[in-house]
Amino acid sequence: MAETAEVHSALGDVAARQLANATKTAPTMLSISPRWLVHLLPWVGVEAGIYRVNKVKDETRILTACSQMEDERELPDTFVDYDEHAREYFLSSVTTVVDVHTRVSDLYSYPHDQIKQQLRLAIETIKERQESELLHNRDYGILANVPSGQRIKTFDGPPTPDDLDELITMVWKEPAFFLAHPKAIASFGREATRRGVPPATVNLFGSPVITWRGIPIVPCNKLKIEGNKSQIMLMRTGEARQGVVGLYQPSASGEEGLGLSVKFMGISRKAIASYLISLYCSAAILTDDAIAVLDGVQIDKYHDYKHAYRK
């Protein structure tokens, strides 16, 4: 027998939705991260695009004297010499061009402006690339410029409290923060908890992060994982502390942020509007002891715990 169609006694959902407006979110992107390194680095404006790091030459030649009562010895003559070949850092750029058809931006920009959303997501992508370049760029990347004497290996694979204590001895002058991949942080948390010293937690820009010896351990997914190994960094920051600083171009035309500019390039004969997005940045390590790196951090070691009660 043929089935009879169900007769509705009221307006159905499908038909009712034809008169309803769906609330739409702005487009999201999985690759967007907090970019803690960019937030925590002090940034120095470089107007001419060049940053020269001057250093004191042969500090042992600087003579001093400590005099006591009725001491008439001659005071030493001295002077401070400078390195004649100071290193210069040049700003590099992360750039892209965003194309938007004017027909699309004219017709489909409510409730979310198409041009603004296209630029926003492109800028987020550029800023993610910026953080990666700050770490890995062959010229100015922080990891690429760590002195060999400031690199150590873990004692036994996983990162232990002893390993991080060793890093602190190498950057003991006002250390600012550790930087590690989230999996490396989890590995350290397991090792610290196993030893009965679970790390304390603090709030950083509204987000909880664990600490060691009062120093935040900041997550960064730009630190690479090769096989089952990663790295943990500890750094001192700021010019006044002779630490690590970020460099940017101030007062650029079309400025939208630190070193970031957005410029309208015009409309082609195909009615496509183009926008140039540029971000100028670099980084500098002012003294060798401003940073130390723990290499060979094993991230995949877990522990079994006995669940027996005491008799």
Side-chain angles (χ1 to χ4, degrees), residues 2-270:
E3 296 182 1
T4 57
E6 182 179 356
V7 178
H8 293 282
S9 58
L11 181 66
D13 290 358
V14 176
R17 278 199 293 268
Q18 307 309 307
L19 300 184
N21 287 330
T23 301
K24 306 169 188 68
T25 70
T28 60
M29 185 180 292
L30 182 62
S31 61
I32 297 175
S33 70
R35 298 188 292 271
W36 294 117
L37 177 60
V38 176
H39 287 299
L40 295 176
L41 273 185
W43 289 88
V44 178
V46 183
E47 294 182 356
I50 305 174
Y51 186 76
R52 182 182 297 123
V53 178
N54 291 306
K55 296 186 178 182
V56 175
K57 181 180 178 181
D58 193 7
E59 300 175 14
T60 60
R61 294 182 56 182
I62 305 174
L63 305 178
T64 59
C66 182
S67 61
Q68 299 178 354
M69 293 180 61
E70 301 181 359
D71 189 346
E72 296 183 355
R73 290 179 297 175
E74 290 187 5
L75 297 178
D77 294 325
T78 189
F79 70 95
V80 180
D81 201 2
Y82 303 137
D83 187 356
E84 298 171 353
H85 305 285
R87 177 172 178 179
E88 293 184 339
Y89 293 84
F90 299 88
L91 296 181
S92 67
S93 64
V94 183
T95 309
T96 192
V97 174
V98 176
D99 295 324
V100 182
H101 202 291
T102 54
R103 176 175 51 82
V104 171
S105 60
D106 288 343
L107 297 178
Y108 308 111
S109 286
Y110 182 82
H112 298 291
D113 188 291
Q114 292 286 353
I115 295 176
K116 288 183 178 180
Q117 294 304 321
Q118 287 285 302
L119 294 177
R120 178 181 69 85
L121 294 176
I123 289 171
E124 291 287 350
T125 303
I126 282 180
K127 288 183 176 180
E128 293 293 329
R129 178 65 182 273
Q130 174 196 23
E131 187 173 59
S132 179
E133 292 296 312
L134 288 173
L135 287 172
H136 302 292
N137 186 279
R138 293 182 180 180
D139 179 35
Y140 64 82
I142 297 173
L143 273 174
N145 286 278
V146 176
S148 59
Q150 292 295 103
R151 287 182 175 272
I152 59 173
K153 292 186 179 296
T154 61
F155 288 110
D156 191 30
T160 65
D162 295 334
D163 292 316
L164 267 61
D165 282 344
E166 193 65 21
L167 282 182
I168 294 174
T169 67
M170 302 172 74
V171 190
W172 60 270
K173 305 173 188 175
E174 302 178 279
F177 57 89
F178 294 98
L179 193 72
H181 192 280
K183 288 186 177 293
I185 296 176
S187 181
F188 172 73
R190 291 192 295 268
E191 296 300 318
T193 301
R194 182 170 181 261
R195 286 162 173 76
V197 285
T201 303
V202 297
N203 278 324
L204 196 64
F205 299 108
S207 297
V209 298
I210 67 172
T211 64
W212 182 248
R213 307 296 190 197
I215 305 172
I217 307 177
V218 178
C220 177
N221 65 341
K222 310 304 185 304
L223 285 167
K224 297 177 181 179
I225 294 178
E226 297 179 350
N228 63 342
K229 302 290 181 64
S230 187
Q231 297 166 307
I232 295 178
M233 306 168 58
L234 175 61
M235 66 181 75
R236 178 176 66 251
T237 61
E239 274 189 318
R241 295 184 174 91
Q242 300 185 131
V244 182
V245 296
L247 310 175
Y248 76 100
Q249 175 70 45
S251 304
S253 60
E255 187 175 47
E256 294 289 336
L258 288 180
L260 175 69
S261 69
V262 179
K263 300 174 183 176
F264 177 60
M265 299 175 63
I267 301 175
S268 71
R269 294 185 63 84
K270 294 183 178 181

